[in-house]
Amino acid sequence: MISIINADDRVGTCDFCETENTSIYLARELPDQFRAILSLYIPDENSNTSLIESLQKDFGLFTENVRIPSNLLKSIFQDEEQSLMKLLETNVSFQNKELLEAESDNLNDVWDNFKEEIKFVNRYHIQNTINLDKLKTYFLHESFYKEIKKGRIFFRCRVSDKNGFPCEKMGNPPIELASSGRANPKGISYLYVADSLETSMYETRASLFDYVTVGEFKLTDDIKILNLRNPKDDPIYWSEFEEIENYLIYIPFIQTLQKELSLPIRKRDKLLDYIPTQYISEFIKSLGFDGVEYQSSLNSEGYNIAIFNPKKLECFKSNVYEIKDIKLTHEIVK
């Protein structure tokens, strides 16, 4: 929505928040962005919630700046059919909400069943598979992929001695040494890189006074990455594409996938635990992506990328660091 308004090059005073000298846009030109969201609601005399209150609660819309959001919605839909305008004049209920939530919960149940089967029952001919066709539709949508241009710098860290490793030792391991990871099966070598020096050090989990070598990698070609870290979960965006119901069903599931890819590898982990996310990563690779981006679980400000084709990055510099301080936080789990 911000990009739509800013792209119009009109500047003035907003009629709804009274901000001066800001980008403005005619409200009546925006119904396509909201129509599918409003179609989720029906008038309900037994409800005690207005449309505005429902939009604020269910989607986080109109929670800041807009002083009288009902006036804004009326302006957006002033040229539309009266049925939509009537929603603003009565209390509403979210039709099919329980059904959509049930479908979303069922999708996570399917994922749990899939994980159990692929780990303990069937490895290659799976019965409880997830709907890959539907997942493909989402992953290939522009909200989930991003292009990273040639020349971008990423980082990889390895525990070393004081002499460190040269650049040629900082890449992905040879296939005979490639152990199982969250994204790669054993024997298939990916390059895991981080967005920053700090994130790469966190991911290595070096101990106090350890020496680490950090390699800096430069992209030698443009790459297309599946962005599981922060896909566009803006309901207005999905409403415009008339995908709002699927958004409500699939976004929680995709967030689950991202969390599982982000889980730190622990010493007590079993290799079987990685198989479900390896399967998803192989599927992502089959769609033509060069890698998958996911949140770092060890540095909340950072992220990692599993690169499927390491030849698209070149290590051009390596430096040795000594770990001088480690900050630990903790919470009781039992």
Side-chain angles (χ1 to χ4, degrees):
M1 182 67 71
I2 292 173
S3 62
I4 291 173
I5 295 172
N6 287 338
D8 197 60
D9 292 332
R10 281 180 279 188
V11 176
T13 300
C14 176
D15 294 329
F16 301 96
C17 68
E18 298 182 349
T19 301
E20 298 179 354
N21 195 31
T22 189
S23 297
I24 57 175
Y25 200 85
L26 288 178
R28 66 196 304 170
E29 296 177 6
L30 294 173
D32 289 344
Q33 280 71 32
F34 291 89
R35 189 179 290 108
I37 294 178
L38 265 62
S39 70
L40 296 171
Y41 297 94
I42 57 174
D44 185 354
E45 295 179 355
N46 297 319
S47 170
N48 58 5
T49 307
S50 69
L51 177 62
I52 294 298
E53 291 170 335
S54 297
L55 293 175
Q56 290 172 335
K57 176 183 177 182
D58 298 331
F59 295 102
L61 300 178
F62 307 118
T63 55
E64 297 179 0
N65 296 333
V66 181
R67 293 186 297 106
I68 309 178
S70 59
N71 289 347
L72 175 56
L73 270 184
K74 287 178 181 178
S75 296
I76 291 173
F77 288 100
Q78 61 182 293
D79 299 327
E80 298 292 303
E81 58 269 24
Q82 285 299 309
S83 59
L84 291 176
M85 295 294 287
K86 288 181 179 178
L87 288 175
L88 287 163
E89 301 169 357
T90 182
N91 289 338
V92 300
S93 61
F94 194 140
Q95 60 177 337
N96 299 327
K97 184 175 184 178
E98 293 183 358
L99 178 61
L100 293 174
E101 290 177 344
E103 288 192 43
S104 181
D105 291 341
N106 179 65
L107 196 57
N108 278 301
D109 290 341
V110 169
W111 171 246
D112 290 337
N113 293 334
F114 163 78
K115 289 195 298 182
E116 288 299 304
E117 181 177 355
I118 198 171
K119 288 194 293 185
F120 303 117
V121 183
N122 297 308
R123 188 63 43 81
Y124 302 108
H125 302 282
I126 305 163
Q127 302 299 316
N128 293 303
T129 186
I130 54 182
N131 189 334
L132 295 180
D133 288 336
K134 178 63 74 172
L135 208 54
K136 176 181 178 180
T137 299
Y138 270 79
F139 284 169
L140 292 180
H141 199 282
E142 65 181 41
S143 66
F144 281 94
Y145 70 77
K146 71 177 185 181
E147 292 186 357
I148 305 178
K149 295 298 182 180
K150 175 181 177 180
R152 176 73 180 273
I153 306 300
F154 293 98
F155 301 83
R156 181 172 188 247
C157 181
R158 294 182 63 189
V159 176
S160 66
D161 59 23
K162 194 172 184 178
N163 295 318
F165 296 112
C167 278
E168 56 267 26
K169 297 292 185 180
M170 289 304 298
N172 57 301
I175 56 175
E176 63 271 15
L177 298 179
S179 59
S180 291
R182 291 284 178 198
N184 72 289
K186 183 177 181 179
I188 296 178
S189 185
Y190 294 162
L191 179 62
Y192 293 84
V193 293
D195 67 309
S196 67
L197 172 68
E198 183 180 28
T199 302
S200 72
M201 288 185 172
Y202 272 110
E203 292 295 329
T204 305
R205 289 185 291 180
S207 300
L208 190 62
F209 305 125
D210 273 349
Y211 293 106
V212 296
T213 303
V214 178
E216 295 187 35
F217 289 78
K218 181 183 295 184
L219 278 178
T220 58
D221 199 357
D222 296 348
I223 59 174
K224 185 174 75 171
I225 296 296
L226 181 71
N227 176 19
L228 286 183
R229 181 173 64 101
N230 56 356
K232 291 180 181 176
D233 58 359
D234 181 356
I236 295 176
Y237 176 87
W238 292 99
S239 175
E240 184 179 5
F241 291 97
E242 298 184 356
E243 286 280 348
I244 191 64
E245 291 190 358
N246 282 327
Y247 157 85
L248 293 169
I249 295 170
Y250 272 84
I251 285 296
F253 171 64
I254 291 170
Q255 290 170 341
T256 296
L257 292 183
Q258 196 280 140
K259 289 177 182 177
E260 299 220 3
L261 268 173
S262 298
L263 287 174
I265 293 177
R266 303 175 187 273
K267 293 181 180 179
R268 294 184 179 180
D269 284 351
K270 298 177 182 178
L271 296 183
L272 290 175
D273 294 335
Y274 304 155
I275 293 175
T277 50
Q278 291 169 359
Y279 179 92
I280 294 297
S281 296
E282 288 283 291
F283 174 66
I284 292 169
K285 183 168 68 172
S286 75
L287 299 178
F289 290 99
D290 295 302
V292 56
E293 177 182 314
Y294 54 94
Q295 179 67 40
S296 169
S297 60
L298 301 172
N299 178 20
S300 61
E301 302 298 322
Y303 64 89
N304 302 303
I305 302 178
I307 302 291
F308 304 143
N309 184 359
K311 292 182 179 179
K312 292 192 174 185
L313 289 97
E314 176 186 9
C315 183
F316 66 93
K317 182 169 64 175
S318 65
N319 293 309
V320 180
Y321 299 84
E322 183 180 3
I323 304 299
K324 291 292 190 179
D325 184 34
I326 294 177
K327 297 179 180 179
L328 296 177
T329 61
H330 58 273
E331 63 179 14
I332 296 176
V333 295
K334 186 175 182 182

